[in-house]
Amino acid sequence: MIQTLIDPTAGAAAVFRAESTPVSDLPVLTAHVALKRLIMLVNPMSGSVDAQAIAEATTILSDYDCDSSVVELTPDDFDTQVDAALSAAPDALIVLAGDGTAGTIASRAGPDGPLIAPLPGGTMNMLPRALYETADWKVALRMALEQGSVRTIAGGEIRDTDSEHTFYCAAILGSAALWAPAREALRTGQLKLAWLYARRALRRAFSRRLHYSLDGVAGRQTEALVLISPTISRAIGEAAGLEAAAMNPADAGQAIRLAAHALFSGWRQDPSVRTTATLSASVRARSRIPAVIDGEPTLLRHEATIRYIPRAFRALAPNPDAATGAPA
């Protein structure tokens, strides 16, 4: 087999021949979908991608009976590289990058583009963890290649007057978004930094209440609104849309309790949280709205709308119902 490693600094693609392996000794590709041609996009600047990732990816792909190429993404050529990969129409486009880059590429692929395998290459890795249940991109890559099937991924789209964002896991709008840096610092063992972020979040709580509506029914206020895709929500079915969770702590004590639940687990069971299903939503506030969209912090304008996307893109990932014998 020929493995192609594309070096962006070279005038043309550099071709490396991997050591020949008899086809009979190769790991077996998934039987659920044909994988003849693969392209892997690697962002070496992502949070958990090191300098050896491209060589390691090339070696792993050489173990399989398919044609594959590895492309190192560069900031100056990003759009051109992604467009070229999509235009090549591979059976699957593997992405080793952060949540934002993976989401951008998935959005460009859309429901009719090639299968997308978003590997955990960033910091939070929300979508890869939901699809592969691992933070190790090498394990996720082999899982996608050997156990992958076609999974239609739903999502949501957020628009304000300046921007458009797509999410496939969750969007946190309002003061609860201020707790995300604390949670991430805690996850990585930075206890002092987590405490500083938590203090800042608590100081700013109750100062930016949201007015929100769900499916056109208006007139409610909340500290924060969380919108969760069926990709990770088990509380609703895909036909129902997004799971919407309104968080309404009455005082600082309740806010601390809710924050503890959000930082660890069980936040849905908190009495100050109310959940329902929705196909659309709108939010407004007196000032800009802090948000965390699939792990990426941002600031929205003071008004934004959200809509459910039942078929956002197609992923190459194990079918979570396969083990139970449930239909795909």
Side-chain angles (χ1 to χ4, degrees), residues 172-265:
I172 306 170
L173 311 179
S175 62
L178 301 173
W179 291 95
R183 177 171 184 166
E184 182 57 25
L186 187 64
R187 187 187 69 81
T188 56
Q190 302 176 79
L191 300 183
K192 183 176 180 181
L193 185 60
W195 170 244
L196 292 174
Y197 280 137
R199 288 181 59 190
R200 185 183 70 176
L202 188 60
R203 284 199 307 268
R204 297 174 67 180
F206 309 104
S207 64
R208 298 187 179 191
R209 293 188 66 84
L210 294 178
H211 295 264
Y212 74 97
S213 68
L214 302 177
D215 289 333
V217 179
R220 293 184 177 180
Q221 295 186 51
T222 186
E223 284 299 316
L225 184 68
V226 182
L227 297 157
I228 307 166
S229 165
T231 305
I232 62 171
S233 173
R234 297 294 181 264
I236 60 172
E238 289 194 10
L242 302 168
E243 180 185 7
M247 298 182 173
N248 285 290
D251 53 36
Q254 284 192 4
I256 292 172
R257 185 196 64 224
L258 179 57
H261 284 177
L263 288 172
F264 296 101
S265 63

Side-chain angles (χ1 to χ4, degrees), residues 88-108:
D91 296 313
L93 186 57
I94 304 163
V95 182
L96 178 56
D99 290 314
T101 299
T104 296
I105 294 172
S107 297
R108 291 195 186 186

